[in-house]
């Protein structure tokens, strides 16, 4: 395989997923992202779990776990019996408290903290 067009860095094989539904695609894609981001020597959970537990509230932890499972804001709102606006507020707090760049970073954090199984 050739290198990346912009950097020339080697690229891995293309990801091929047969999609049964949106959640299958999300879970398959996230598992690959987390595996690539996770240092091989890191123990499951470890210090990341403690950092997350100290930083967030119980409800934010629930939301982070559901984000890690690939749920949308609407699905999280339905499961927790709150409005989507409330979920968006929790997501905003999680992004700030965990210094996460975006929702994908929150998913990686959930996996690293062992809130979600691969």
């Amino acid at each position: 395989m050739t290198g990346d067009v912009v950097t020339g860095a080697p690229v891995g094989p293309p990801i091929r997923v047969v999609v049964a539904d949106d959640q299958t695609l999300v879970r398959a894609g996230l598992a690959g992202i987390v595996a690539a981001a996770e240092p091989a020597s890191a123990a499951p959970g470890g210090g990341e779990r403690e950092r997350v537990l100290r930083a967030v509230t119980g409800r934010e932890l629930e939301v982070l776990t559901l984000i890690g499972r690939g749920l949308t804001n609407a699905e999280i709102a339905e499961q927790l019996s709150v409005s989507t606006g409330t979920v968006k507020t929790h997501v905003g707090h999680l992004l700030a408290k965990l210094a996460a760049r975006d929702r994908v970073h929150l998913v990686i954090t959930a996996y690293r903290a062992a809130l979600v199984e691969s």
Side-chain angles (χ1 to χ4, degrees):
M1 196 162 260
T2 61
D4 178 75
V5 175
V6 177
T7 66
V11 294
I15 298 173
R16 298 180 196 274
V17 178
V18 175
V19 181
D21 58 36
D22 291 341
Q23 293 301 312
T24 301
L25 177 61
V26 169
R27 289 186 186 106
L30 295 178
I33 291 168
V34 172
E38 185 76 31
S41 61
E48 185 72 6
R49 183 177 182 85
E50 295 305 316
R51 181 182 79 87
V52 168
L53 292 176
R54 280 193 309 271
V56 303
T57 66
R59 184 58 109 177
E60 290 166 349
L61 188 63
E62 288 179 279
V63 171
L64 180 59
T65 301
L66 296 172
I67 289 171
R69 291 183 186 154
L71 273 65
T72 65
N73 287 351
E75 292 167 332
I76 293 169
E78 184 178 327
Q79 187 158 342
L80 298 179
S81 300
V82 298
S83 72
T84 55
T86 298
V87 173
K88 288 179 184 180
T89 298
H90 288 311
V91 172
H93 291 165
L94 287 166
L95 290 167
K97 289 180 177 183
L98 300 175
R101 292 180 301 277
D102 51 30
R103 195 176 185 99
V104 172
H105 198 178
L106 289 176
V107 171
I108 291 170
T109 299
Y111 272 83
R112 284 184 173 170
L115 300 176
V116 181
E117 294 182 17
S118 311

